[in-house]
Amino acid sequence: MMSDTRRHPRRQFASFFLPDRKDLLWTVIWIGGLVIVWVWFLLFLNEPARLRMQTAMADTLLSAGTVVVSAFLMGWGSAMLLHLLDRPKRKRLYLAATFLLNLLRSVPQIIGMLLGYTLLAALVRGETMRSEFLQVLAAGFLTSLVVFQEVTDVIQERIRHYREMDFVSALLVCGVPEFTIINREILWKNSVAHLVQKAVSVFGRAIFLVCSIDFIISVGLSTEVSLTNFPPTLGSMLASLDSKQDILVIGSALTEPGLLPSLFFEHLQGIGVAFVTVFTLVCLYRISNGLVERHRL
Amino acid sequence: MREGDLAACDDPVRVVGTLWGEDEQRDLARILPVFPTAYRPSGGEKQRILIGMAFEKMELAASSGEQRRGLFVFDEPTGSLDREARDRFLDGLFGHYRHGKGTILLITHDYSMIGYVRKRHPAMEQHVSYRELRRDGAGLSLADFRPADYLQWLEGIRPKVTKHVSGPPLLSVESGLRIFGKKLGFHGPGDSRERSHLEIRSGDLVYLKARSGAGKTTVAKIIIGLQRADYFRMNFDGIRLGEVSPPRYWEKKLWGKKMTMVFQHADEALNLKSTVEQSLAILPVESTQTEEGRRGILASLFDDGSLPALARKRVSYLSGGQKQRLNLLRAFALSTSFLILDEPLNALDFRSITRVLQAIERRRELGQGILLISHNEDIFQALIPPESTYTLVEE
């Protein structure tokens, strides 16, 4: 017998957002919110500021996307390496690799990124890296160096979970290579939800780190690195003088409510950047949580 | 009552000891403190504990005045039990029934119960109604099952005599292997109480039996190289192997090439996220790399008409019997010289049992050495001659 949702298209549409699909609901909210903000900018933000905003948003998303791809490649590579070394005869190599990974993990992410940005600044100053596109990719790669261990941990945990199961032993005794079992049967067929959730979480973390580092640089922690060296991102837009002044108006609006409408029409750059950043982070957090709930991770 | 409640029970031995013989009480005392730790109690021991708890549930329901209104469902209760434990289960079940403790729905593929009921509980036959669930076109239907059909078929089974190939055995495992603080050995062949090596030649079908919890699956896993024993010695295809042999040797030289194993629980031995076709395509043999090849393999244990749809089905959507047949076919598709079958008839209906036995016989005729582990003594003692039967014992 046909279910109600199959008979009524409207209910079918609603069932797409059932409580157990919060990740999809928040993805729609995020994309919809960004579209509305962009239309608002189109109507009320001056063109130079709007173009800077668009570039900053694109650079931030590209950088965060690079972090995800790079962190997954490194995370997968290191997990495979550790698995290969986890044999009685290779115990020393395994310990050395684990020690190196833990050493990298022990460096606070912001400090690691600052060191990376110093290197990047040297490359930009020496004109070794002129292309803005390459600079964004390089920033993403450097960020991934401090987050890929999380991906390694997830992959290792998935392998450990399934290693004791009969289906892995059954495939092994059929002569199926262990790497095929790990990559096809464990990671691809049984861990996609875990990996997608980790990718969303790494994506959000990358946006947060890129914005944070740009903001830290803007207050002058390093003489080597300057915001003017790098392509604009949401962080550097937030740190610009115009945006700071716009954000300060929020404080004034609390005491003078008459200023409130001007926040949405006259101080759009700062308010817009702050909103897009916070809104994106909240949505990604909700998407990640939704995935955890839906797939019971 | 749930599994975890056993710890809070005043007298757990009384509750779960129903299916333990007098000589097995020591084993029960050893298990109770660790239950339900995953690895220690064997499949049969866990099953006996759960049955004991189910009987207690029937008692509790009766004492609360709910007798005769209760319906108790036992789903494959004897799948991991040896013959003695199965007999005790049936005695206990009929005992509860006679005392009016409810209606019982027993779902099982264990046809050997039929013979026991006829022999030991003839008076109960009028109370037992045998039904078979069948797939009719798109739906399911219940049909009468004639116990006599099974008993006649069983009587008609004749042992398959192996024409021994001269030369050393393909596999020889010495008695005295040690694991989990236990020392295990082999008695046989046949009813002999003599300590011996477990020997299997090419084209041999050897039956290893033991009482529930003795460690049959553990021995199988030691032979196949998945479990490391504290001490063991075996010769396989002229190579001497022991507890110090590197596990990589099995992985590189033996698995899938010279030996393989069918695990007893198909549900756990198959990747439920794969399709039937994918479960075969992953095997490192040419015959499974083409659609025709895979369909050919499936056709040996499945009906032709259902093959295209079956091949695309996810393993998780298969019935227990279909999973078990796929589990067996995966091993049959490999051309190994040695095969271990751990409870190959689990979850199979009568028709599938006859097809699987024919398939095993074909493997044997092709020269494969087969070690068979099963609680289904009625069938395998009839099928396998005493000179190819060994008993695993704790020394």
Side-chain angles (χ1 to χ4, degrees), chain B residues 271-345:
Chain B
N271 187 350
L272 301 181
K273 299 274 175 77
S274 288
T275 62
V276 170
E277 240 173 356
Q278 288 169 344
S279 302
L280 293 175
I282 195 170
L283 298 175
V285 283
E286 242 175 67
S287 58
T288 61
Q289 302 311 304
T290 61
E291 199 176 313
E292 290 77 26
R294 291 191 290 269
R295 297 278 160 92
I297 291 166
L298 288 171
S300 61
L301 289 185
F302 290 94
D303 293 328
D304 279 347
S306 65
L307 287 187
L310 178 88
R312 287 190 298 272
K313 238 184 189 178
R314 252 195 187 198
V315 172
S316 55
Y317 298 144
L318 299 181
S319 71
Q322 287 175 319
K323 281 181 196 152
Q324 180 64 1
R325 281 180 275 166
L326 179 62
N327 189 26
L328 287 158
L329 282 177
R330 197 168 52 176
F332 292 164
L334 301 166
S335 310
T336 55
S337 49
F338 176 63
L339 170 64
I340 298 177
L341 298 173
D342 192 359
E343 301 290 354
L345 305 186

Side-chain angles (χ1 to χ4, degrees), chain B residues 184-240:
Chain B
L184 302 171
F186 306 101
H187 283 182
D191 292 330
S192 161
R193 296 265 173 180
E194 293 284 308
R195 192 175 189 252
S196 68
H197 291 2
L198 171 71
E199 289 192 343
I200 300 168
R201 291 164 195 277
S202 297
D204 255 358
L205 175 58
V206 168
Y207 178 34
L208 179 64
K209 58 180 188 174
R211 72 177 195 205
S212 166
K216 297 184 294 295
T217 300
T218 306
V219 168
K221 284 187 174 177
I222 292 170
I223 294 171
I224 202 84
L226 286 170
Q227 181 92 52
R228 186 152 272 235
D230 299 325
Y231 173 85
F232 95 105
R233 293 285 178 272
M234 79 174 196
N235 261 299
F236 179 76
D237 205 15
I239 305 288
R240 195 161 170 75

Side-chain angles (χ1 to χ4, degrees), chain B residues 80-247:
Chain B
S80 308
L81 300 186
D82 58 32
R83 192 155 60 179
E84 283 175 25
R86 181 209 63 194
D87 295 350
R88 277 189 216 115
F89 161 72
L90 284 174
D91 296 343
L93 193 72
F94 288 142
H96 280 90
Y97 180 80
R98 277 195 212 98
H99 288 100
K101 287 178 187 138
T103 304
I104 295 156
L105 173 62
L106 179 60
I107 302 166
T108 186
H109 287 98
D110 187 353
Y111 292 86
S112 66
M113 286 184 195
I114 295 171
Y116 185 72
V117 174
R118 180 151 293 186
K119 205 164 147 190
R120 298 281 173 179
H121 297 278
M124 288 303 295
E125 280 209 302
Q126 56 177 313
H127 299 279
V128 180
S129 89
Y130 295 94
R131 294 277 189 278
E132 193 174 43
L133 194 64
R134 286 182 187 155
R135 200 179 288 275
D136 283 342
L140 293 169
S141 66
L142 266 180
D144 281 337
F145 178 79
R146 282 165 31 89
D149 289 351
Y150 167 76
L151 294 171
Q152 274 170 13
W153 171 78
L154 194 64
E155 274 174 24
I157 294 179
R158 294 285 170 267
K160 305 282 180 188
V161 181
T162 310
K163 287 175 191 163
H164 280 300
V165 180
S166 58
L170 176 67
L171 173 82
S172 170
V173 187
E174 291 178 15
S175 280
L177 54 88
R178 287 196 302 269
I179 189 163
F180 301 140
K182 290 203 286 191
K183 192 175 176 189
L184 302 171
F186 306 101
H187 283 182
D191 292 330
S192 161
R193 296 265 173 180
E194 293 284 308
R195 192 175 189 252
S196 68
H197 291 2
L198 171 71
E199 289 192 343
I200 300 168
R201 291 164 195 277
S202 297
D204 255 358
L205 175 58
V206 168
Y207 178 34
L208 179 64
K209 58 180 188 174
R211 72 177 195 205
S212 166
K216 297 184 294 295
T217 300
T218 306
V219 168
K221 284 187 174 177
I222 292 170
I223 294 171
I224 202 84
L226 286 170
Q227 181 92 52
R228 186 152 272 235
D230 299 325
Y231 173 85
F232 95 105
R233 293 285 178 272
M234 79 174 196
N235 261 299
F236 179 76
D237 205 15
I239 305 288
R240 195 161 170 75
L241 296 163
E243 74 279 2
V244 291
S245 304

